Amino acid sequence: MVRLDAIFAALAGEIAQENVTLREEGLTPLAHTEIRVMGQMSLLSNTEVQAQIRLIATVDVDATVRGEFWVQKKFEELLLKDGLELDPVASEIWLPAEATFTEMFSSNLLTCLRLDALYALVSKAIKAKEKNRILIRQALPIFGRELEDLIKKYGGDLVYFEEQD
């Protein structure tokens, strides 16, 4: 199981420690950072989804870091220690206009959000349907009409996911 919460806690600690050093040197401390986790990792880090859908593990972490470069580099280092890798093109992931995020971790220096499963699934159904056919097929009975409606809204083909191989 992916333990992003431990990585986020460690990152918050690293930021706090760096801010102490920066203040001692008379420099401006690092500003608050927001990390948004998307893609497969948003599903893998969601225990409710894990309990209902068989998920394929990945080492790629699709996440955007809204903060200073130092924080992004430290986040990448902490991910690597856990055998994970920050995807450099995560900011290019397509999301439905109504996509929402849920807080995973929060401190005075760092807020980490996870893309809600429904919208991660819609994104996968629209932009990578071949790769995610089995996943979407499993998700349709669980997320029901709401997932179906969003897939249709964004031009997806429900029949593709319902057909048996």
Side-chain angles (χ1 to χ4, degrees):
M1 181 163 113
V2 177
R3 294 294 314 233
L4 286 178
D5 53 343
I7 293 171
F8 294 146
L11 180 59
E14 293 279 352
I15 296 169
Q17 188 174 17
E18 181 66 10
N19 278 348
V20 168
T21 302
L22 290 169
R23 283 187 186 100
E24 287 172 353
E25 294 174 0
L27 300 171
T28 304
L30 297 167
H32 185 272
T33 297
E34 180 183 88
I35 297 176
R36 290 181 171 226
V37 177
M38 301 168 287
Q40 188 74 359
M41 197 58 69
S42 69
L43 299 173
L44 287 165
S45 64
N46 186 327
T47 54
E48 288 178 29
V49 172
Q50 276 191 337
Q52 299 178 66
I53 300 174
R54 206 170 355 132
L55 298 169
I56 297 172
T58 183
V59 296
D60 287 335
V61 177
D62 294 320
T64 57
V65 179
R66 295 177 182 175
E68 299 186 43
F69 184 72
W70 185 94
V71 177
Q72 179 174 327
K73 286 298 166 196
K74 188 58 68 175
F75 181 46
E76 289 175 5
E77 288 174 24
L78 292 169
L79 288 171
L80 282 173
K81 284 182 182 178
D82 270 24
L84 301 170
E85 208 172 290
L86 184 62
D87 188 333
V89 293
S91 61
E92 298 173 14
I93 291 175
W94 175 84
L95 298 177
E98 59 270 57
T100 57
F101 290 79
T102 297
E103 189 175 278
M104 297 173 66
F105 177 89
S106 183
S107 74
N108 62 332
L109 300 169
L110 179 65
T111 301
C112 303
L113 307 168
R114 170 182 56 231
L115 178 62
D116 290 329
L118 176 66
Y119 304 106
L121 292 163
V122 172
S123 178
K124 288 173 168 294
I126 300 301
K127 293 301 179 179
K129 71 178 189 177
E130 294 84 7
K131 185 172 145 185
N132 293 293
R133 185 176 191 179
I134 294 169
L135 173 64
I136 303 304
R137 186 180 297 150
Q138 289 179 65
L140 281 166
I142 296 163
F143 288 86
R145 178 60 118 205
E146 197 172 9
L147 179 56
E148 290 175 8
D149 289 348
L150 284 168
I151 290 172
K152 283 191 263 185
K153 176 181 178 180
Y154 289 103
D157 178 11
L158 283 173
V159 173
Y160 176 80
F161 299 109
E162 294 167 350
E163 291 175 343
Q164 297 301 315
D165 297 326

